[in-house]
């Protein structure tokens, strides 16, 4: 079994999460590749999919949406997990409680029947926002930094590994991404 952990990332947070999921899957003996969805040629070579995107204005990035739309029939036949990375989990409070699911994910639920959709916090630096965005973020009492919760991400990847059919473990795994960092998996984007 080969799992694609495909992603579209604006500043690197989503890429880091995808790499981490692929690493955890590989540690359980499942062949996994983390790669930008824009670089995926034949999606048919993958047996399962973990797909994620940064979220801007309640929407996945165009590359991620195009990948899913282009491969809808295939994805509907294979195990799929989705994840979104955005500010709602960073800001927390009312914003987190009332953040709607990204538009595309809501639309894909019926057709693709993903096993799960998770929303994760990403990393946010001042230079990621334009001037007006920095002002609005300051008014919301927003903070800058890396807010990815690596233990939560690891647990989710372990759940995915456990839910894949028996007999999917392979001796030689292919994985993209760096080795697990020594500081409990926390790293900047």
């Amino acid at each position: 079994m080969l799992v694609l952990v495909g992603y579209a990332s604006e500043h690197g947070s989503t890429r880091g999460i995808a790499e981490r999921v692929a690493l955890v899957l590989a540690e359980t003996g499942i062949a996994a590749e983390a790669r930008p969805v824009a670089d995926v040629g034949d999606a048919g070579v993958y047996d399962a999919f973990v797909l994620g995107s940064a979220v801007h204005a309640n929407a996945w990035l165009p590359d991620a949406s195009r990948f899913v739309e282009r491969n809808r029939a295939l994805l509907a036949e294979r195990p799929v997990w989705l994840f979104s990375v955005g500010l709602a989990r960073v800001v927390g409070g009312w914003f987190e409680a009332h953040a709607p699911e990204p538009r595309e994910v809501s639309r894909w639920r019926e057709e693709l029947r993903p096993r799960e959709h998770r929303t994760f916090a990403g990393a946010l630096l001042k230079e990621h926002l334009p001037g007006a965005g920095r002002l609005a973020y300051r008014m919301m009492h927003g903070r800058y930094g890396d807010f990815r919760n690596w233990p939560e991400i690891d647990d989710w990847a372990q759940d995915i590994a456990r839910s894949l059919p028996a007999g999917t473990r392979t001796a030689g795994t292919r994985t993209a991404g760096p080795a697990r960092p020594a500081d409990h998996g926390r790293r900047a984007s």
Side-chain angles (χ1 to χ4, degrees):
M1 168 160 289
L2 179 59
V3 178
L4 172 65
V5 186
Y7 63 88
S9 188
E10 183 81 15
H11 299 291
S13 293
T14 308
R15 179 189 69 234
I17 291 170
E19 289 171 350
R20 184 58 167 263
V21 169
L23 176 66
V24 171
L25 291 174
E27 287 174 346
T28 69
I30 296 171
E33 275 184 355
R35 62 185 328 173
V37 289
D39 295 348
V40 175
D42 179 12
V45 302
Y46 298 100
D47 303 297
F49 298 85
V50 179
L51 303 173
S53 177
V55 175
H56 291 241
N58 194 38
W60 272 24
L61 296 179
D63 282 346
S65 292
R66 279 192 295 268
F67 178 84
V68 173
E69 292 298 329
R70 187 173 60 246
N71 294 289
R72 279 191 327 229
L74 173 69
L75 295 172
E77 298 171 352
R78 311 254 168 111
V80 175
W81 289 262
L82 304 174
F83 70 95
S84 299
V85 180
L87 282 179
R89 294 276 313 268
V90 173
V91 177
W94 186 92
F95 293 98
E96 183 176 1
H98 294 89
E101 189 170 66
R103 287 187 295 273
E104 300 88 345
V105 172
S106 296
R107 212 174 52 239
W108 296 328
R109 274 195 184 280
E110 190 169 319
E111 185 176 355
L112 302 181
R113 299 197 190 289
R115 304 268 177 109
E116 187 176 7
H117 171 253
R118 283 280 182 103
T119 299
F120 296 111
L124 180 65
L125 304 176
K126 277 187 179 181
E127 55 268 21
H128 294 166
L129 297 174
R134 283 194 297 270
L135 179 62
Y137 192 60
R138 189 173 356 161
M139 292 173 63
M140 293 186 308
H141 305 287
R143 303 165 292 142
Y144 296 100
D146 187 345
F147 302 98
R148 291 174 288 186
N149 183 331
W150 296 111
E152 176 187 12
I153 293 162
D154 290 347
D155 289 347
W156 187 60
Q158 288 285 346
D159 289 346
I160 292 170
R162 281 189 290 273
S163 68
L164 287 168
T168 59
R169 306 315 190 258
T170 60
T173 60
R174 294 190 299 164
T175 183
R180 183 184 308 275
D183 62 345
H184 305 291
R186 299 186 196 293
R187 56 190 160 110
S189 65

